[in-house]
DNA sequence: TGCAACCAGTTGCAAATTGCAATCAGTTAA
DNA sequence: TTAACTGATTGCAATTTGCAACTGGTTGCA
């Protein structure tokens, strides 16, 4: 892995790290789906990532300090992947992409509702959600209590799915 | 080109369109560098894209209605590429990526200054810049007059470069 | 009129990356 | 003891990328 960067442009450097078809989806699943294990990321992925690609991307994200890995005490082989502060700070990027996709692409209803809420909530909601991620992934207690943004998004998603 | 989408998730759909190492750089150059011709995008690119990749990506972006192409009246072979409204609306995505890259990656000083200003300016500045892009690319006169965000970014960039 | 420079791409080919299925070796619960 | 589960790895075909050369046409200038 040679670090031959193409330029010092911040957008380019960001793309060099997460500018592929899978990395941001993995991060999305860690954020919104709370997937923390290899198997969870592999099998519960909406898009069906294959195991070699997942292994490779997790390695890249570890190298880039976007996620960390620690052993799961309940199972000697299991690893728990967590987002770092740097990884959590990718939320605004994902949120903007979700908002753009929601507006211009043929998004499915059950997956679009999350994007709509997140978009309507704006930076304030993103910030609140990031605090929740800091609690889940970094063990930093969040300030605000009560129902979380994560729960609200999940509930909205399910209410669409269960509406027959 | 079969449209086998992996899922209806807005983030995934967005990545399917611009989730590669070059598309967003082309859009960046159109926005911040005002590159409108094939040659300009090819030779003035900081990262050195090759002509076949550029041709392919422009085709993809045309298909996705992110850019349009029209003939340049001054030269029969020249084409002018313009951003569509949809393309202009990618600015917040780029701005967030720039902000993240600026904060966490080894950005060069002359290219970082733009990211810093854009980040400090926030959504308000982005919106103003998008209005300028609408004027340049869509021919829609902007409301606010006076020095543009584009000029300010350019000036800041040059002031760093020319500081010996 | 001729010619060099410029224009937007295209082509051919090697190298790297991706996607898929099978496999692996250690771990755990029954 | 054994079947299922864990995080991966391997082999291989297909696709994508990157580079350099090239194409067919246009333009400006002498």
């Amino acid at each position: 892995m040679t670090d031959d960067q193409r330029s010092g442009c911040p957008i380019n450097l960001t793309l060099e790290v997460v500018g592929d078809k899978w990395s941001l989806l993995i991060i999305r699943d860690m954020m919104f789906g709370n997937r923390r294990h290899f198997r969870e990321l592999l099998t519960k992925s909406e898009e069906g990532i294959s195991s070699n690609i997942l292994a490779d991307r997790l390695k890249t994200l570890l190298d880039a300090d976007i996620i960390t890995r620690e052993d799961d005490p309940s199972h000697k082989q299991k690893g728990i992947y967590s987002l770092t502060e740097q990884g959590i700070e990718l939320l605004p990027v994902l949120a903007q992409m979700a908002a753009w996709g929601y507006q211009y692409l043929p998004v499915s209803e059950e997956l679009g509702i999350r994007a709509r809420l997140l978009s309507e909530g704006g930076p304030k909601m993103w910030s609140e959600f990031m605090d929740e991620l800091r609690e889940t992934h970094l063990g930093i207690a969040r300030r605000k209590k009560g129902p979380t943004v994560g729960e609200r998004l999940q509930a909205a998603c399910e209410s669409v799915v269960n509406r027959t």
Side-chain angles (χ1 to χ4, degrees), chain A:
Chain A
M1 196 162 297
T2 52
D3 69 332
D4 50 328
Q5 61 189 45
R6 300 180 296 184
S7 83
C9 164
I11 294 173
N12 174 58
L13 290 172
T14 300
L15 286 170
E16 302 232 4
V17 183
V18 295
D20 71 278
K21 293 249 190 295
W22 290 111
S23 298
L24 288 175
L25 293 183
I26 294 170
I27 294 165
R28 174 204 64 184
D29 284 346
M30 290 182 75
M31 285 181 174
F32 299 104
N34 197 37
R35 318 250 193 274
R36 310 290 293 275
H37 305 293
F38 190 93
R39 271 303 133 166
E40 281 182 326
L41 287 163
L42 185 68
T43 59
K44 292 181 188 169
S45 147
E46 189 83 21
E47 291 85 11
I49 191 171
S50 51
S51 59
N52 54 346
I53 305 288
L54 176 58
D56 181 81
R57 290 307 180 281
L58 287 172
K59 219 172 284 169
T60 309
L61 293 173
L62 280 168
D63 285 344
D65 271 325
I66 289 170
I67 60 174
T68 55
R69 194 208 129 111
E70 50 191 323
D71 293 332
D72 186 333
S74 81
H75 191 301
K76 279 184 183 166
Q77 267 185 314
K78 252 178 171 169
I80 302 180
Y81 292 97
S82 301
L83 291 162
T84 61
E85 173 62 25
Q86 203 176 139
I88 292 169
E89 295 265 1
L90 280 170
L91 177 76
V93 175
L94 286 179
Q96 292 287 6
M97 286 187 129
W100 188 85
Y102 179 71
Q103 193 165 6
Y104 295 110
L105 301 174
V107 164
S108 72
E109 198 189 358
E110 67 269 29
L111 293 167
I113 185 74
R114 216 160 51 184
R116 212 194 74 211
L117 287 176
L118 210 57
S119 170
E120 285 169 2
K124 204 167 175 177
M125 185 191 250
W126 305 348
S127 178
E128 200 182 323
F129 187 48
M130 283 162 74
D131 268 350
E132 294 168 21
L133 291 173
R134 283 184 193 101
E135 180 163 87
T136 315
H137 291 257
L138 304 175
I140 299 168
R142 67 198 165 97
R143 298 180 298 261
K144 202 176 165 187
K145 294 297 168 186
T148 65
V149 172
E151 283 162 7
R152 272 185 280 163
L153 293 174
Q154 198 56 40
C157 212
E158 279 161 13
S159 82
V160 172
V161 173
N162 298 334
R163 187 174 69 205
T164 330

